[in-house]
Amino acid sequence: MTFNFRRPDSYFAWKNKEILKRFSRYKDIIDKNKLARYIIAKSFECNFNVDASLEELEQLLKIKSKEFKNLLNEEPSQLENIEIKNKSYLELLETLAYKYLRECIFCERMCKIDRRDGKKGFCLIPEESYISSAFLHYGEESVLVPSGTIFFQGCNFSCVYCQNYDISQTWKGKKALSEVAKRINPQDLANIAEQLAKQNALNINYVGGDPIPNIHTIISSLKFQTSNICQLWNSNFYLTEKSLNLLIDIIDLWLPDFKFSNECALKYCGIPNYFEIISRNLKIIHNKGSGEIIIRHLVLPNHTECCSKPIMEYISKEVPNSAVNIMDQYRPEFKSYIYPEINQYPSSKEIKKIKEYANDLGILWEPVS
Ligand code: SF4
């Protein structure tokens, strides 16, 4: 790991023993001692009939996912030892993703509309994906920089305080997607990722808006990507279990948000059952996925008791191997004026209280916050 002059904290984070332990596979991919999961998925032969029923393919996915996890234990470590198969596990994931698009269930809004037939659900993203920008990001967590970040246009949330509202919401109903973002197909996305890899990105960071409505494009792009680089899922994490099943084996590093109680998520973002869904997904990636997770907790003003503390308690009990970015950069933006309690900055006293609470619970937060 070379010294990063733009972010000296990344050098010191990688000196932290717990960081090295909890993110060992990610570090091994960076150091070229291990292969990104998606490459192994491409070398894992998987014969199936694309016209098989959804249920048959989902059943096959269950079986193959177990076999894939066994394969990871004896994984080859070098690209030259890898043989890409004509019909692979990755293609099974791609096939299922495009089938789900016919009745979109990518996120828990479960719009169930046929995006392949031009219909649009809550996120207003059609079958094609759109990106607003892609660049080497030096502002992400210490261990992620420089991060090859790809911003997808559109979001399945509608947060009143959104700080990326131009990407996520304000174009909706006013402008066509093509006026505000660039349409891309899987090959285009792969080209962008490869370009970022060549610029020495440590990871390919799918974000937005949110990447969830674009799961099919992202999985499909991996067929065209060849660089041994960590795949990073940076998301509100409100995806369905079926969607998560498509990603769980091919994502190396997870960067989910976890911000609210159910009541506050409904009030500020119009999202039902937030806590249950995010905590369910966190447990799945902690126990069955790579387990290499940085949870982003944005501290909202006046939400210490209802949101921050219960979330810290949940993390310490149920996903103890994760690290937490306690984010203090909330600022009142967009429509936060509707609610006086969030139309202000969090106080330094609140931030301190949450950090102390995290310390009391034994949460690892400092190197990534
Ligand atoms: S990804 Fe979009 S269309 Fe699909 S379920 Fe979610 S909001 Fe609806």
Side-chain angles (χ1 to χ4, degrees):
M1 188 72 53
T2 52
F3 189 83
N4 185 334
F5 285 96
R6 288 209 213 178
R7 285 290 300 272
D9 59 326
S10 70
Y11 177 82
F12 295 107
W14 282 118
K15 295 276 171 208
N16 182 299
K17 280 192 185 139
E18 269 306 308
I19 291 288
L20 283 169
K21 192 168 124 199
R22 294 186 196 195
F23 298 95
S24 63
R25 196 170 187 285
Y26 168 50
K27 175 81 165 41
D28 276 341
I29 298 170
I30 294 171
D31 293 340
K32 308 296 177 210
N33 294 326
K34 287 212 166 153
L35 293 173
R37 285 167 164 247
Y38 88 92
I39 292 176
I40 299 171
K42 288 208 277 194
S43 73
F44 180 28
E45 193 156 34
C46 182
N47 287 310
F48 61 94
N49 176 357
V50 283
D51 297 322
S53 72
L54 197 54
E55 293 70 29
E56 284 169 325
L57 292 174
E58 284 174 343
Q59 197 49 39
L60 182 63
L61 175 63
K62 265 191 203 161
I63 296 165
K64 289 292 169 185
S65 180
K66 273 192 197 141
E67 290 177 17
F68 183 80
K69 285 181 178 80
N70 292 334
L71 189 66
L72 278 178
N73 295 330
E74 47 191 74
E75 61 184 288
S77 60
Q78 297 303 320
L79 260 180
E80 51 271 24
N81 300 335
I82 278 285
E83 191 191 328
I84 304 299
K85 296 289 190 290
N86 282 336
K87 204 97 187 244
S88 71
Y89 182 47
L90 188 70
E91 281 177 293
L92 174 64
L93 303 177
E94 181 196 30
T95 302
L96 270 164
Y98 277 92
K99 283 190 187 273
Y100 290 153
L101 206 57
R102 285 242 172 252
E103 212 177 331
C104 189
I105 50 132
F106 281 165
C107 83
E108 288 282 356
R109 286 203 183 267
M110 301 273 255
C111 300
K112 296 197 173 176
I113 41 86
D114 187 351
R115 288 173 57 191
R116 298 201 76 177
D117 192 32
K119 307 278 187 317
K120 292 177 195 166
F122 181 89
C123 62
L124 293 188
I125 302 300
E127 176 178 358
E128 302 81 18
S129 293
Y130 287 77
I131 59 163
S132 57
S133 61
F135 55 91
L136 273 193
H137 199 327
Y138 282 86
E140 300 288 61
E141 283 77 355
S142 56
V143 293
L144 304 183
V145 293
S147 179
T149 311
I150 301 172
F151 286 85
F152 286 88
Q153 190 82 13
C155 190
N156 53 334
F157 276 17
S158 53
C159 308
V160 289
Y161 60 81
C162 183
Q163 294 174 6
N164 281 345
Y165 55 87
D166 54 333
I167 299 174
S168 62
Q169 297 181 53
T170 46
W171 55 274
K172 287 183 171 182
K174 295 189 186 116
K175 289 186 174 172
L177 264 169
S178 55
E179 289 178 68
V180 290
K182 185 175 165 17
R183 188 164 99 173
I184 50 149
N185 62 29
Q187 176 73 67
D188 299 328
L189 181 59
N191 293 346
I192 292 165
E194 288 294 317
Q195 203 52 41
L196 291 165
K198 281 199 186 88
Q199 292 167 24
N200 294 327
L202 299 189
N203 45 70
I204 300 301
N205 178 348
Y206 303 102
V207 65
D210 207 275
I212 295 173
N214 306 289
I215 286 174
H216 57 303
T217 311
I218 292 168
I219 292 176
S220 196
S221 84
L222 294 174
K223 287 199 316 192
F224 306 108
Q225 291 189 42
T226 54
S227 294
N228 183 23
I229 187 165
C230 165
Q231 300 289 317
L232 167 61
W233 193 258
N234 180 352
S235 161
N236 61 40
F237 224 42
Y238 197 66
L239 22 69
T240 57
E241 233 178 311
K242 287 189 177 198
S243 299
L244 193 51
N245 287 342
L246 302 181
L247 296 173
I248 188 130
D249 290 328
I250 52 172
I251 293 296
D252 301 288
L253 190 59
W254 302 88
L255 193 57
D257 290 338
F258 196 14
K259 301 184 209 175
F260 305 116
S261 64
N262 277 344
E263 295 70 26
C264 296
L266 193 58
K267 182 175 179 185
Y268 302 127
C269 302
I271 289 292
N273 303 323
Y274 176 87
F275 195 95
E276 284 78 15
I277 288 162
I278 306 304
S279 57
R280 175 199 69 198
N281 289 345
L282 280 175
K283 264 196 96 113
I284 293 173
I285 58 168
H286 186 265
N287 297 344
K288 296 188 196 154
S290 75
E292 302 201 349
I293 311 165
I294 301 173
I295 298 170
R296 284 182 164 174
H297 176 69
L298 180 68
V299 178
L300 294 173
N302 295 303
H303 285 73
T304 308
E305 300 302 320
C306 57
C307 297
S308 295
K309 281 189 170 181
I311 282 173
M312 292 301 148
E313 284 159 19
Y314 181 87
I315 292 171
S316 75
K317 275 197 204 112
E318 304 293 342
V319 280
N321 294 336
S322 57
V324 182
N325 179 1
I326 300 177
M327 303 174 84
D328 59 7
Q329 57 262 59
Y330 176 86
R331 55 184 195 273
E333 285 266 6
F334 194 36
K335 296 180 187 166
S336 53
Y337 58 83
I338 299 171
Y339 300 104
E341 71 278 14
I342 59 163
N343 195 24
Q344 54 188 289
Y345 290 84
S347 69
S348 53
K349 204 170 150 195
E350 282 175 308
I351 306 282
K352 188 166 173 265
K353 195 169 170 185
I354 295 158
K355 288 181 175 173
E356 283 173 357
Y357 199 62
N359 277 342
D360 292 345
L361 293 168
I363 288 173
L364 178 70
W365 62 269
E366 225 165 340
V368 295
S369 295

